[in-house]
Amino acid sequence: MSEDEVAVTGLGLVTAAGVGAAATWDGLLSGRSRAAPDPLLAGLPVGFSCRSDFDAGAALGRRAAARLDRFSAMAVAAAREAVADAGLDTTAWDPLRVAVVIGASTACMEHYDREFAWIADGRPERVSPMAIMRSIPNMAAGEVGLDLGARGPNLAVSTACASGASAVGVARDLVRAGSCDIAVAGGSESLRARSTAVGFHQMRALSVRGHDPEGASRPFDTDRDGFVLGEGAGLLVLERPAHARARGARPRALLRGYGASCDAHHTVAPHPDGRGAADALRVALADAGMTPGDIDHVNAHGTATRINDLTEFRALARVFRDPPPVTAPKGVLGHSAGGAGGIEAACCVLTLQHQLIPPTANLDNPDPAIPLDVVRKAPRRARLTAAVSNSFGFGGQNAVLVFSTS
C-alpha cells in the first residue's frame, strides 16, 4: 500500500434490506426490492417506500432513541458496526486523531412535519425544544462523534444525493493530508416523511406504481417511472495505511480515487449528455492513477428516473469505450438521498471483497437506449480488482469514488 492510498478497514450499514452489513449484502444478492406500503405515508399520492426495520430503541436505548432523529440514530448504529468491524478500541485510540464526516441532504423531515403541525394548529407551545437540534443535517456527525468519543474534525457534507459519497471523499482528503489517522465517513438519511413524499411527487420524480410497490424501483428498465423513497446509513472506517499496519488491521479494500464536479447546467436536471458526471469520473480515475480499462465494475447511481438513468449511461459512454458490468442497488434499497452514496460505497467494497456483483432488481426489459451490461436476475461471479461508485445530486453535484482490492 502506498501512503497516498487510504485503507477501508470497517463497514457499517443500516438499510431497507436489513440492519448490518451482512443482512444488507444478503438482501442485495436476492435481487428483490424492499418496497412496500408505508403507514407513515398512508393517504398520499405515493404511499409506499423502502423502509428499514431498524429499531432505534432496541439498538441504542430508549433515552437515545427519544433524543435522536432517525437519520442520526441510524448513523450511530452504522458507526458502531463499522468501528467494531475495523477492530478498533475507542478507549485506546487518540480521540483527537479520529475524524467523523457524514453526508445528509434533507436529513429527515418527519419530526419537522410533526412540529409544524402544532404551529398550524395554533398551539406553538407544543413544539419540542429539541425540534431544531434534532433535525439539522450536522447532527448525525455530531451524535456519532459524541457516541464514539471522536474529537477530531467533525463535518457535515451536503451535496444532495451525492452527499454520502462526497463525505467519503472529503474524509479521504483529511486522512491523506495528515489531519487524522482514522475517519468514520459516509451518509445517513430517511426520506420517509409526508412532506418529502409530496414534494418529490409534485416534481414527478417518484414512481407511482402503487399497485405494485415491489416492482416500482426499476433502474435502467424501459418501464421505469421514478425512484422509491428509502432510508439508511452507510459508513466506512478509513485509515492511513501505516496506521492500519501498525495495529495489524487487514483492509477490506483501498480507496484509491475521488472525483467531484458540478454540471453548472440546471437546478434539478443533469446535463443531458452526462458531461459533469463524466468529468467527475475522469478526475477520480486520474486521482487513482488509473485508466478506464483498469475498472472492472460500476456501482451506478441508477435512480430509475427516465432522465437520470439515460444521462448516467451517456456519462459512462463518454469515459469508457466499453463500460464494464453495472449494478444499481437502488432497485433493492430505494433511494436514501444523502445516505445513498455512503451505502453504495460500502456495497462497492463488499462487491470487490466477495468478487460477486449483485443483480439489479426489476430489470425485466432493459432500455434499448441504454446498452449497458447491467447485471440482472442473479448475482454474477467476476474477477474484480477495481470498481467505481457513482453518486449524483440536485444542483448538478457529482461525486465518484474508486476502490480497489490492492
Side-chain angles (χ1 to χ4, degrees):
M1 284 183 286
S2 163
E3 291 305 308
D4 287 334
E5 296 162 355
V6 172
V8 180
T9 56
L11 301 177
L13 284 163
V14 175
T15 71
V19 177
T24 296
W25 180 245
D26 287 345
L28 286 174
L29 294 182
S30 77
R32 182 175 66 83
S33 171
R34 292 310 197 259
D38 189 337
L40 183 64
L41 308 179
L44 298 180
V46 174
F48 60 92
S49 73
C50 287
R51 67 185 188 275
S52 174
D53 61 3
F54 172 70
D55 183 331
L60 307 179
R62 292 176 59 186
R63 291 185 64 181
R67 186 181 85 251
L68 302 183
D69 200 299
R70 188 163 175 81
F71 85 108
S72 293
M74 292 188 296
V76 169
R80 288 181 180 180
E81 183 189 17
V83 168
D85 182 50
L88 287 163
D89 180 353
T90 60
T91 66
W93 66 21
D94 179 353
L96 291 175
R97 300 291 297 168
V98 181
V100 177
V101 188
I102 298 179
S105 54
T106 64
C108 179
M109 295 293 290
E110 181 185 357
H111 279 109
Y112 281 134
D113 286 352
R114 295 175 185 174
E115 305 299 348
F116 292 160
W118 290 123
I119 299 173
D121 197 39
R123 291 188 284 175
E125 71 279 359
R126 298 296 301 273
V127 172
S128 170
M130 305 277 288
I132 299 300
M133 62 163 285
R134 181 162 46 199
S135 300
I136 53 179
N138 75 300
M139 289 311 296
E143 292 288 356
V144 167
L146 177 64
D147 188 71
L148 298 178
R151 295 166 51 205
N154 190 290
L155 306 174
V157 176
S158 186
T159 54
C161 300
S163 297
S166 298
V168 173
V170 169
R172 190 286 308 262
D173 289 347
L174 289 174
V175 175
R176 267 191 177 179
S179 299
C180 58
D181 298 319
I182 300 166
V184 180
S188 186
E189 189 142 340
S190 177
L191 290 183
R192 293 179 53 246
R194 295 178 70 81
S195 58
T196 308
V198 171
F200 278 123
H201 173 69
Q202 291 295 94
M203 293 173 61
R204 300 183 180 179
L206 297 183
S207 172
V208 294
R209 197 182 288 259
H211 65 284
D212 178 27
E214 191 173 325
S217 186
R218 316 181 68 83
F220 303 115
D221 191 88
T222 297
D223 300 320
R224 67 191 185 277
D225 71 329
F227 71 83
V228 174
L229 299 169
E231 63 178 354
L235 297 182
L236 284 62
V237 173
L238 308 180
E239 292 186 62
R240 290 188 300 106
H243 189 275
R245 283 195 300 268
R247 64 183 191 86
R250 182 176 181 181
R252 283 179 174 266
L254 299 178
L255 175 52
R256 296 282 297 276
Y258 165 55
S261 71
C262 180
D263 285 2
H265 167 70
H266 190 274
T267 303
V268 176
H271 194 282
D273 67 6
R275 181 183 63 192
D279 289 341
L281 182 52
R282 291 191 186 99
V283 170
L285 290 173
D287 185 48
M290 292 183 175
T291 68
D294 295 322
I295 302 301
D296 304 307
H297 167 58
V298 174
N299 188 105
H301 187 58
T303 60
T305 59
R306 298 212 64 83
I307 294 175
N308 279 274
D309 285 5
L310 180 60
T311 298
E312 185 166 13
F313 158 67
R314 289 172 176 166
L316 293 173
R318 289 171 72 95
V319 176
F320 295 97
R321 177 174 297 178
D322 183 18
V326 172
T327 194
K330 292 181 181 70
V332 171
L333 305 177
H335 193 355
S336 57
I343 291 168
E344 291 168 15
C347 294
C348 195
V349 169
L350 290 168
T351 296
L352 288 173
Q353 187 171 12
H354 291 283
Q355 298 285 286
L356 191 64
I357 304 174
T360 299
N362 298 318
L363 183 51
D364 299 325
N365 300 297
D367 188 339
I370 303 178
L372 291 171
D373 178 14
V374 184
V375 177
R376 64 191 186 108
K377 303 300 183 184
R380 182 187 299 179
R381 183 69 60 183
R383 293 189 63 182
L384 306 171
T385 59
V388 298
S389 187
N390 293 338
S391 296
F392 313 126
F394 290 162
Q397 307 277 8
N398 306 297
V400 176
L401 302 168
V402 180
F403 295 96
S404 73
T405 55
S406 60

